[in-house]
Amino acid sequence: MINQMLKPFLIDEDLTTGLNALEEVKKKYPYLNEDGEIAAIRQDYKLLLDYMDKNVKDPERQKFYASFCQRGARVASSFYHQVLLHDNASFRQAKERVAHINFRPESVRHSLEDFVADVAMLELESPEERQKKSEEIYTKHQHQLSLLFDHILVSPLWDEETESFYDSLLTSPTIDSRDACLLVSAIMLACMNCFDVRKWLALTTVYEKANDEALRQRAFVGWVFALSPLKDYVYPTVRHRLNELFMDPALPTELLYFQEQYYFCISAGEDGAKIRKNIIPGVMQNAQFDVTPNGVKEKEDDELEGILHPEAADEKMENMEKAMGKISSMAKEGRDIYFGGFSQMKRFGFFYTLSNWFVPFYLEHPDLKAVHEKVGDSSFLQNLDAIGPFCDSDKYSFALAMMTVIDRLPEDVRNMMKHTDLSMIGEMKGIDSKSGAYLRRSYLQDLFRFYLLYSNKLDFVSPFLYDLNDDEEIENTFPFCNIVFQETPLKKEVMPLVNFLLKHKEYYLAARVLEYWESMLESTDFHLAYGYCLHVLGKNEQAYDNLITAEALSPESHDVCKLLGEVSYELNIWPKAYECYHQLTEWYPHNWRYSLKLAVSEMEMGQFDDALQRLYQLDFEHENEPRIMSELAWVLLHVKKTDEARKTYDRLFKTGHKDSEDIANYAYTFWFSGEYHAAANLFRSYLKAVKGTSDDLESKGKGATLIRIFHDDQRLMDIYHISWQQMCAMRDLTML
């Protein structure tokens, strides 16, 4: 709906068609309200046309027309927002929760600032009074903050004054940075579901001006993700603001790191499976406790084991450290250490409150009160905020889960939790938990869990794709494939991203990124990478075209020559394959595989003597190499040396080689020598070898399969003057 309404204004720039479409939408949804803006736009446009009719020259006419289109687009967005509040359950419920609350800007500011002052004043209270007042302050504040979150989520399109207020509020040092982080998430969520230029601009302002790094990174993720639903509908204001943002030379690199972290999020399921299969079993096997249906129980020491294998305890500890080290290495690489069991931990009542999915972890959260009462002031809770590599959402899960199992833990485990530094649970040495990269990654993981596990997740536009082979999902959610970045300095980071994707064997995704930037990049590396991706994906014709371009740009590139040779070889473009492998044998004279493919290219081009000479030498230097013997025997057949070809096939099969094609070729040595009985027996062996692999054999029968290979080898048939009638006769003899 929104795309259909925006297209006439932002793409076609056809004002009348756009306004007429809005009128039709208004008829379909009677509850829509636009306060007469459509009529006002029509009136202003009529005035412009009247001046045109009077032959008045106006250099600003095009500018005015564009402004009318922008106003129309704003009405379209407003209509979509109203439909969202009416038809979407999560938005409708949020609207109902705040329907009778007045969120005047100054009241909002005072509320947030008063909270900071109230917390500071707690230090003046006695310990007993401090605890009581602290609970009251945080409970009241979290309730107010959750309602403000809902208010922002369902707020209509912002005007300049509202944007200015939130710009000032969220970058102010007088409010708590955690509060600002939560409100930025609300703006992001609202903007992603119904794009609002002013909300988006506010996110970019916070990104540029905030002093708190966690807040900056939330704003960064927010403005990038909010652009995804735009697709082709690029607002001029957005384009202008992006140009300003890209004046920071570090931004393209940050977007590259963002994209890599995003990839690790969408790969979390695969990484989680690796942890479950390869790491967790090792941890449990070497742990000093067992997880049983009745709770966690400490393993009893085996005295005999200690006597017979005194080194076993040290080995178990070493194996445990290795297992945890693997998790640490994955975390340092940037992967999302997402355990499947966490999904069960998202069923606590805490996670049924929408705003709680976005609240930075803090021990005073009112919903953790029961945890404090159950666990007490243990080291576990005190350190939970500091350990990695877990995101805020998972830290809440841990804390809430601990409340349910604390009574079933052995006494010594409970004592350990009170005093341990929890390094084995997840302290990742060497990771800067205050860095922008770490904080951004943690927030992305929070978002990933929300869009994967929230009960009403389908009510929200997700920035995460789950099918890396779906073109539409990639265009909608993969930032490097977003048209709004197409004319920005981001293109300098395209090849580093592609290399990253190739490292992780994401060939299709890399190809889509390269395809998207194809018209803007022209380099050897670009066409080589694109050719490689297409080759892996089985699109050799397209790969060949890119590699020819790469060769023209860098004629001496060894990498280009290697891949172009391989693709030409597979496409049977023998002159180019010959050219490439001839060059490669000069560069790498000791690589027999290049010499072998050069010999095949020579043979396919009819240069049998050259091919034979080369294969003789290779066979001498690499005795009993099946691939060399196979090609040598094949060339010998073509030069009518059937006896020598047969002897070579005899040597080949003594190595245990069982290739079906070579069995058929072996049969030729008997057929062409007049030994029809032996040839027919070998063709029968060939048919058994290809059973289940040949389409002709399955659909048309054995005879059709034989005729097909005879036709495939027509050049050989011509050399030996084998007629069609002789082919049919051999087929029929084989079928007896």
Side-chain angles (χ1 to χ4, degrees):
M1 173 183 168
I2 182 64
N3 291 345
Q4 294 174 347
M5 291 192 294
L6 286 175
K7 186 175 183 295
F9 299 112
L10 298 180
I11 302 300
D12 302 333
E13 293 185 311
D14 185 343
L15 182 63
T16 299
T17 299
L19 293 175
N20 290 342
L22 291 181
E23 294 282 11
E24 290 300 316
V25 170
K26 193 174 179 181
K27 292 178 183 177
K28 185 177 180 180
Y29 302 95
Y31 57 82
L32 292 176
N33 176 43
E34 38 83 24
D35 293 328
E37 177 64 0
I38 295 176
I41 296 172
R42 288 192 187 278
Q43 181 60 37
D44 291 344
Y45 185 42
K46 183 177 183 305
L47 188 61
L48 182 148
L49 295 176
D50 288 343
Y51 278 105
M52 282 184 64
D53 191 46
K54 296 175 182 177
N55 298 323
V56 175
K57 294 183 178 180
D58 185 355
E60 299 295 313
R61 184 170 291 133
Q62 186 169 339
K63 179 180 177 181
F64 282 125
Y65 189 93
S67 72
F68 298 157
C69 285
Q70 290 298 303
R71 288 166 61 187
R74 187 170 176 81
V75 174
S77 294
S78 176
F79 278 4
Y80 180 73
H81 180 261
Q82 292 177 60
V83 173
L84 192 67
L85 296 186
H86 190 273
D87 295 346
N88 184 296
S90 291
F91 282 80
R92 184 174 64 251
Q93 291 164 9
K95 181 183 177 183
E96 291 170 355
R97 287 194 292 268
V98 299
H100 303 293
I101 304 175
N102 192 332
F103 292 89
R104 290 188 298 273
E106 285 311 307
S107 297
V108 170
R109 181 185 294 275
H110 288 320
S111 174
L112 297 177
E113 291 177 342
D114 288 347
F115 166 72
V116 174
D118 290 342
V119 171
M121 294 296 290
L122 286 174
E123 295 298 323
L124 303 178
E125 302 290 345
S126 64
E128 297 80 8
E129 193 66 22
R130 184 188 307 157
Q131 178 65 29
K132 179 182 177 183
K133 285 194 173 183
S134 176
E135 291 180 4
E136 292 175 354
I137 290 170
Y138 280 102
T139 300
K140 176 184 177 183
H141 180 66
Q142 189 59 43
H143 177 68
Q144 292 175 333
L145 207 57
S146 183
L147 291 174
L148 182 55
F149 182 97
D150 290 337
H151 166 71
I152 293 174
L153 177 66
V154 301
S155 61
L157 302 185
W158 285 0
D159 54 25
E160 187 174 356
E161 183 179 355
T162 305
E163 179 202 340
S164 178
F165 166 71
Y166 280 102
D167 287 348
S168 171
L169 178 72
L170 297 173
T171 56
S172 171
T174 61
I175 72 168
D176 190 285
S177 61
R178 285 193 298 260
D179 294 350
C181 284
L182 180 61
L183 300 183
V184 159
S185 294
I187 297 172
M188 177 199 72
L189 210 58
C191 202
M192 286 177 59
N193 284 272
C194 181
F195 187 78
D196 179 352
V197 172
R198 297 267 177 213
K199 291 188 181 80
W200 183 80
L201 290 173
L203 292 171
T204 65
T205 300
V206 175
Y207 164 68
E208 281 194 317
K209 295 184 178 181
N211 293 319
D212 182 81
E213 191 59 33
L215 178 58
R216 285 191 71 250
Q217 292 305 324
R218 285 206 178 202
F220 177 47
V221 172
W223 71 254
V224 174
F225 275 162
L227 287 176
S228 296
L230 280 181
K231 295 178 70 174
D232 299 330
Y233 307 102
V234 185
Y235 291 78
T237 308
V238 171
R239 181 72 68 197
H240 176 73
R241 182 64 176 132
L242 280 176
N243 291 337
E244 292 179 343
L245 291 172
F246 275 101
M247 291 177 69
D248 177 3
L251 181 56
T253 304
E254 286 303 302
L255 282 165
L256 169 65
Y257 295 155
F258 169 91
Q259 190 71 90
E260 291 175 355
Q261 291 173 330
Y262 172 90
Y263 169 78
F264 283 136
C265 277
I266 61 178
S267 304
E270 181 180 331
D271 292 335
K274 183 187 298 184
I275 292 172
R276 288 194 303 274
K277 292 178 182 178
N278 304 331
I279 298 178
I280 295 300
V283 174
M284 300 307 295
Q285 182 179 353
N286 295 285
Q288 294 301 312
F289 54 86
D290 287 320
V291 179
T292 73
N294 297 319
V296 180
K297 294 184 178 180
E298 185 178 10
K299 291 181 179 178
E300 294 184 6
D301 292 335
D302 188 333
E303 294 183 6
L304 182 60
E305 179 71 11
I307 296 172
L308 297 177
H309 303 287
E311 76 288 350
D314 291 337
E315 289 181 1
K316 284 188 175 183
M317 180 57 68
E318 184 179 349
N319 291 335
M320 173 79 85
E321 290 175 353
K322 284 181 180 179
M324 296 307 297
K326 291 178 182 179
I327 295 180
S328 177
S329 297
M330 293 175 70
K332 288 177 181 178
E333 187 182 0
R335 293 188 176 276
D336 184 357
I337 309 303
Y338 172 73
F339 298 100
F342 287 173
S343 62
Q344 305 301 317
M345 297 184 189
K346 305 301 181 185
R347 296 181 179 179
F348 294 108
F350 175 90
F351 292 106
Y352 286 92
T353 298
L354 176 61
S355 61
N356 277 344
W357 286 87
F358 306 92
V359 177
F361 183 82
Y362 70 108
L363 292 172
E364 298 82 5
H365 193 296
D367 288 355
L368 295 184
K369 179 181 178 181
V371 181
H372 285 283
E373 294 173 349
K374 198 82 169 177
V375 180
D377 296 327
S378 70
S379 178
F380 176 84
L381 286 179
Q382 296 301 321
N383 291 331
L384 192 54
D385 192 23
I387 66 170
F390 305 115
C391 61
D392 290 326
S393 178
D394 288 347
K395 289 175 183 177
Y396 280 115
S397 294
F398 274 130
L400 294 165
M402 186 52 58
M403 178 181 64
T404 66
V405 301
I406 189 69
D407 292 335
R408 287 177 283 171
L409 293 176
E411 182 64 28
D412 58 338
V413 175
R414 290 202 297 269
N415 290 333
M416 178 193 72
M417 290 175 53
K418 289 182 179 181
H419 306 292
T420 184
D421 63 1
L422 300 182
S423 59
M424 288 299 289
I425 294 182
E427 180 104 23
M428 297 293 130
K429 296 179 181 179
I431 295 180
D432 182 3
S433 61
K434 304 297 182 183
S435 69
Y438 180 90
L439 293 167
R440 179 173 60 243
R441 183 177 73 204
S442 178
Y443 183 52
L444 283 169
Q445 292 169 1
D446 283 323
L447 293 176
F448 179 74
R449 283 144 180 70
F450 169 74
Y451 286 104
L452 184 68
L453 300 172
Y454 180 53
S455 56
N456 294 323
K457 60 182 179 291
L458 297 180
D459 288 345
F460 300 90
V461 174
S462 174
F464 295 102
L465 59 89
Y466 300 104
D467 185 354
L468 296 180
N469 296 314
D470 189 309
D471 287 350
E472 185 175 354
E473 282 197 3
I474 290 172
E475 290 177 0
N476 288 348
T477 61
F478 210 66
F480 262 75
C481 290
N482 192 328
I483 194 172
V484 298
F485 291 119
Q486 204 166 51
E487 297 177 11
T488 70
L490 187 60
K491 66 182 178 182
K492 75 177 186 177
E493 299 294 353
V494 170
M495 291 314 302
L497 173 63
V498 168
N499 292 333
F500 169 85
L501 293 172
L502 292 180
K503 175 184 175 182
H504 295 283
K505 296 181 171 51
E506 293 292 352
Y507 304 111
Y508 181 79
L509 196 50
R512 292 292 290 113
V513 172
L514 289 163
E515 179 185 4
Y516 179 78
W517 291 90
E518 188 172 12
S519 63
M520 283 153 283
L521 292 173
E522 183 72 11
S523 69
T524 302
D525 288 344
F526 176 88
H527 288 288
L528 176 60
Y530 202 7
Y532 178 67
C533 291
L534 293 167
H535 169 60
V536 172
L537 295 170
K539 300 179 179 181
N540 275 333
E541 290 81 3
Q542 292 173 259
Y544 182 81
D545 292 340
N546 276 277
L547 293 169
I548 288 293
T549 302
E551 182 188 44
L553 292 170
S554 298
E556 299 301 314
S557 170
H558 290 211
D559 290 336
V560 172
C561 190
K562 291 174 186 176
L563 188 55
L564 181 55
E566 184 175 348
V567 170
S568 302
Y569 191 92
E570 292 187 11
L571 288 173
N572 299 333
I573 304 177
W574 299 114
K576 177 55 71 174
Y578 171 85
E579 179 186 326
C580 290
Y581 287 113
H582 188 275
Q583 180 65 74
L584 287 168
T585 55
E586 292 185 359
W587 286 337
Y588 307 96
H590 301 297
N591 190 317
W592 65 267
R593 292 171 180 80
Y594 293 149
S595 294
L596 178 61
K597 289 191 174 182
L598 176 58
V600 173
S601 301
E602 289 172 330
M603 183 204 68
E604 293 292 348
M605 294 171 65
Q607 300 172 13
F608 297 115
D609 291 340
D610 292 338
L612 195 57
Q613 182 179 354
R614 194 177 305 280
L615 288 166
Y616 276 142
Q617 182 178 349
L618 287 172
D619 190 41
F620 175 77
E621 294 173 350
H622 304 278
E623 188 177 3
N624 294 327
E625 169 51 51
R627 284 167 288 184
I628 295 174
M629 287 189 285
S630 174
E631 297 299 345
L632 174 59
W634 186 237
V635 175
L636 287 168
L637 261 177
H638 281 76
V639 296
K640 292 190 173 183
K641 295 185 177 182
T642 53
D643 289 341
E644 193 174 344
R646 186 182 303 173
K647 291 176 182 177
T648 305
Y649 279 122
D650 287 338
R651 283 198 296 126
L652 173 63
F653 291 123
K654 284 179 181 178
T655 67
H657 184 75
K658 297 180 180 179
D659 184 77
S660 59
E661 190 172 314
D662 283 316
I663 296 174
N665 296 339
Y666 189 31
Y668 288 148
T669 67
F670 290 92
W671 183 8
F672 301 154
S673 300
E675 299 178 54
Y676 306 119
H677 178 75
N681 281 335
L682 283 168
F683 280 129
R684 293 183 191 110
S685 297
Y686 164 77
L687 291 172
K688 289 180 181 178
V690 299
K691 185 177 182 181
T693 63
S694 169
D695 291 338
D696 285 342
L697 190 61
E698 293 298 318
S699 61
K700 299 179 182 178
K702 298 177 180 179
T705 300
L706 282 179
I707 292 298
R708 178 183 60 77
I709 67 166
F710 295 163
H711 279 310
D712 289 344
D713 296 329
Q714 186 64 52
R715 181 171 63 172
L716 190 63
M717 300 296 165
D718 292 341
I719 291 173
Y720 287 91
H721 306 293
I722 302 297
S723 66
W724 165 248
Q725 292 82 0
Q726 289 172 299
M727 293 183 205
C728 291
M730 179 51 70
R731 175 198 63 191
D732 296 339
L733 177 61
T734 302
M735 295 299 101
L736 290 177

